[in-house]
Amino acid sequence: MDPAISEKALSDDFAIVVTAYIGKFKNIKSCYALKGTEKNPYNAVQFAKNLYILWKAKAINVEVVAFQKVLSALLKTEKLAVNEINPSRDKVTRLMEKQAEFEQGFISFDPE
């Protein structure tokens, strides 16, 4: 979960990715984006909780930077398992670090 909280029209979407882990393999099951006023923290928590139940999730990984820690705390009040992820690099660099895993088939997408 990458919680872009700002409701400004040009801000990033609030991204939620559902991933299944099977051993060392990761399969991206579905992706969701909250936009504009949908991104308020309470709506986001309810949306995430519904996905947690729907997908029978074991945990929610939340990128926590500054204000986004509030979202993690709100999810925990809903009795959801939350892992806080503190990114050490920018998104593009982190994605490029995963390139080999995509190429080798360790990360895949479900066809839609």
Side-chain angles (χ1 to χ4, degrees):
M1 179 179 279
D2 180 5
I5 298 295
S6 174
E7 294 178 11
K8 293 178 184 174
L10 297 177
S11 68
D12 290 347
D13 293 344
F14 183 125
I16 300 173
V17 178
V18 177
T19 307
Y21 294 85
I22 304 162
K24 61 183 175 180
F25 295 94
K26 299 172 188 138
N27 181 255
I28 299 170
K29 306 303 274 180
S30 194
C31 301
Y32 303 90
L34 302 180
K35 303 170 187 274
T37 57
E38 295 177 323
K39 297 191 309 185
N40 78 67
Y42 299 104
N43 181 60
V45 166
Q46 196 56 47
F47 191 87
K49 182 178 180 180
N50 290 340
L51 289 176
Y52 188 94
I53 293 166
L54 174 70
W55 289 94
K56 299 179 175 92
K58 292 192 181 347
I60 299 175
N61 295 333
V62 180
E63 183 177 301
V64 291
V65 179
F67 175 74
Q68 297 162 338
K69 290 183 180 189
V70 170
L71 182 67
S72 176
L74 289 171
L75 289 165
K76 290 176 183 178
T77 66
E78 294 292 323
K79 308 292 188 232
L80 305 176
V82 176
N83 299 318
E84 294 182 348
I85 308 297
N86 253 320
S88 59
R89 295 180 184 89
D90 66 276
K91 292 175 188 179
V92 174
T93 301
R94 288 183 280 149
L95 182 58
M96 290 178 71
E97 290 172 347
K98 299 293 182 186
Q99 181 177 347
E101 289 181 67
F102 279 100
E103 290 173 352
Q104 295 170 4
F106 291 110
I107 301 174
S108 62
F109 291 89
D110 264 5
E112 291 194 20

